[in-house]
Amino acid sequence: QTRGSIPIRWSSPADVKTYRPRVLIGTDPIAQAKALRNHLREQLSLYSIASGETSSTNATANHATQHPIKLSFVNLIDKHSDQGRLGRAFDSVLGAVLEVYANNVDASDSEDPSDTLSRDMTFPTGGINHIWFDFHAECKGGRWDRLENLLRDLAPVLDKQGYFCASSAGTRALSSTNCQLSWQVLNVQDGVVRTNCMDCLDRTNVVQSIFGRHVLHKQLHERPGLKGSATSPRKRTLPLEYAVAFRRNPMKLPWASGEVSHRLLWADNADAISRLYAGTPALKGDFTRTGKRTRRGALDDGINSLQRYYLNNFIDADRQEGMDLLAGNEEFTFIGDDSEDQGVLAAD
């Protein structure tokens, strides 16, 4: 799974007068569509198996049917105010792009001759979807259990996309003193879930930890790389009581040590990313670590939010300029030894 902000052209300049800066959305529909189209193509090329790699029989049989979902957008922003406008704009642009490119429409008549990307681009019919889950509205009043509804909507997609698994197939002797492991690929992942948010930190990490738990349980239950013993050739799986318990409550691994390790891993990941991006630990970290909201966690969120407001409005601009210089996005401006300037300084 991947995370990112809403993949269209928009900005949210810092404004000291308000805690939530205004969202400015690009007004050029062609530029919006091209940007999103290129992003979809990149995501599919990186995280899905090309349709040409499947057998010709399967390709013929599935030509008139919908393809499995290869790219699922999970949108966590609010459905009102500026975030709502941004979410509706993304949904509109996505719908327009899929309408043009998902039905094998020939776009060779593009007005831009340099736009060679549009001449051979198609997206699988039904292979891209968009789920808008208003995190704040759904979980308002401590109703964090409603996150299970989102998981149940995404579980079929996660199961169909699968996961990568490679197993050791033994050792191969390179010399009398050197051996090398050989690996056999048993499973490959075909598709990805992209979680959309504004800054891709707090809400994103909570939701991604839930998706990760689901896939982790599936991996441990199936364990395709482990075979049964000679006396018991049956494939190893988790105990039946674990499978039943997880089916009843998919928000918690059925063994305590595994659940604690999973929570700490994702909570530490959230804090590390948040410190890099926002300068503070992640919000809602108490839920990721303990599975419930606490008063201490709410207090920490308030303190971290105030600190983010200060950093965003008074510190981050200088940091961003430094990053742009180091990344080569901006050119250095050299101050020369101009005699006139020196005279002014001397006169002052």
Side-chain angles (χ1 to χ4, degrees), residues 101-121:
Y101 292 100
N103 296 317
N104 298 327
V105 174
D106 185 10
S108 59
D109 57 347
S110 172
E111 296 181 359
D112 185 359
S114 65
D115 188 15
T116 57
L117 197 61
S118 62
R119 291 187 170 89
D120 59 353
M121 182 187 305

Side-chain angles (χ1 to χ4, degrees), residues 62-121:
N62 295 332
H63 180 73
T65 61
Q66 281 199 342
H67 293 72
I69 295 176
K70 300 291 188 75
L71 177 58
S72 182
F73 288 99
V74 179
N75 197 351
L76 303 179
I77 62 177
D78 301 342
K79 291 186 176 181
H80 57 85
S81 66
D82 282 357
Q83 293 189 23
R85 289 193 302 109
L86 182 60
R88 289 187 293 273
F90 167 70
D91 192 64
S92 298
V93 176
L94 178 63
V97 170
L98 293 182
E99 183 178 356
V100 173
Y101 292 100
N103 296 317
N104 298 327
V105 174
D106 185 10
S108 59
D109 57 347
S110 172
E111 296 181 359
D112 185 359
S114 65
D115 188 15
T116 57
L117 197 61
S118 62
R119 291 187 170 89
D120 59 353
M121 182 187 305

Side-chain angles (χ1 to χ4, degrees), residues 144-165:
W144 295 82
D145 57 295
R146 291 180 177 172
L147 290 169
E148 186 175 341
N149 298 332
L150 175 61
L151 176 60
R152 295 196 184 280
D153 290 340
L154 260 293
V157 176
L158 295 171
D159 293 339
K160 189 68 175 179
Q161 291 178 352
Y163 54 87
F164 177 83
C165 179

Side-chain angles (χ1 to χ4, degrees), residues 203-269:
R203 291 173 283 187
T204 300
N205 205 79
V206 170
V207 169
Q208 286 200 332
S209 68
I210 295 173
F211 298 159
R213 181 188 291 107
H214 176 86
V215 177
L216 174 62
H217 180 270
K218 183 178 178 65
Q219 291 173 324
L220 295 177
H221 184 65
E222 295 179 348
R223 292 189 280 186
L226 298 178
K227 299 179 180 179
S229 62
T231 58
S232 178
R234 189 168 64 89
K235 184 179 178 182
R236 296 189 198 175
T237 59
L238 291 176
L240 179 60
E241 57 270 22
Y242 283 4
V244 173
F246 190 76
R247 189 176 297 113
R248 291 176 177 174
N249 182 15
M251 303 292 288
K252 181 180 180 181
L253 290 175
W255 60 97
S257 59
E259 177 64 14
V260 170
S261 298
H262 176 82
R263 290 187 180 280
L264 293 180
L265 173 68
W266 277 95
D268 292 343
N269 173 71

Side-chain angles (χ1 to χ4, degrees), residues 51-65:
S51 58
E53 298 179 18
T54 59
S55 64
S56 57
T57 303
N58 292 338
T60 303
N62 295 332
H63 180 73
T65 61

